[in-house]
Amino acid sequence: MSDAMNLDDIKQILDLVRDHNLAEFELERDGLKVRIRKAGHDQPVFVAPSVALPAALGPGTPTPVSSLASGAPADAAAEAAEAVNLAVIKSPIVGTFYRSPEPSAAAFVEVGDTVKKGQVLCIIEAMKLMNEIESDCEGELAVVYVENGKAVQFGERLFAVKVGG
């Protein structure tokens, strides 16, 4: 099996994608298909406090956060969005979301914790590899959107961090 793809081959592909700033790369060889998609933006998405929208915008207007169906995470997100700016940390890959390094360990972070840029917030398992997801901003953890052990998609919201004072 000298033609089989190994970890070094995958690392070379990742380097190629990074070096040439490719948005997407796909390779199929001997029945093995590898697709790499790069996140659109490395910067956090900031959500401004809710503002009343003019009625003239019509039915295509997105629903404001405060009118979401009742639920603990949605209520927390709505309250936080009204009070301060939030940086939403999204999943850079498809995989399984884990809040702690192992099942019996405490979560990396809890709502209300202060997080620093580069601090590990969770792990996403993809293809038997554990990928540490780090905070790209500093502030207080406001919301955890995903339940431990659940599948996440590329670009799905993971956390909201209160930024600023």
Side-chain angles (χ1 to χ4, degrees):
M1 279 201 195
S2 60
D3 291 341
M5 188 174 289
N6 61 34
L7 187 58
D8 289 332
D9 293 331
I10 294 171
K11 286 180 181 179
Q12 287 179 339
I13 292 170
L14 291 173
D15 289 340
L16 174 81
V17 169
R18 198 174 303 116
D19 293 345
H20 295 283
N21 202 20
L22 300 175
E24 187 172 344
F25 179 85
E26 187 174 328
L27 171 70
E28 189 168 347
R29 183 169 71 181
D30 299 326
L32 175 68
K33 187 174 184 178
V34 176
R35 178 181 294 161
I36 300 169
R37 238 181 252 161
K38 197 171 185 180
H41 300 284
D42 293 330
Q43 298 297 321
V45 176
F46 291 97
V47 180
S50 295
V51 178
L53 298 173
L57 291 178
T61 305
T63 306
V65 173
S66 59
S67 66
L68 289 174
S70 196
D75 289 344
E79 290 173 17
E82 291 173 6
V84 294
N85 287 336
L86 294 178
V88 177
I89 298 169
K90 297 181 179 184
S91 177
I93 56 176
V94 174
T96 305
F97 173 87
Y98 296 108
R99 292 193 62 198
S100 60
E102 58 186 51
S104 61
F108 287 107
V109 290
E110 296 289 348
V111 172
D113 288 355
T114 299
V115 296
K116 299 198 181 308
K117 187 172 185 173
Q119 179 179 346
V120 175
L121 301 177
C122 66
I123 292 175
I124 297 181
E125 177 185 2
M127 297 175 58
K128 303 293 182 200
L129 294 175
M130 299 298 182
N131 301 280
E132 292 183 339
I133 307 304
E134 299 177 348
S135 176
D136 51 6
C137 59
E138 294 188 9
E140 180 184 332
L141 188 66
V143 182
V144 179
Y145 292 107
V146 182
E147 192 175 322
N148 193 48
K150 297 294 181 183
V152 293
Q153 298 298 315
F154 171 80
E156 185 174 340
R157 298 179 306 179
L158 302 175
F159 302 96
V161 177
K162 292 179 188 177
V163 294

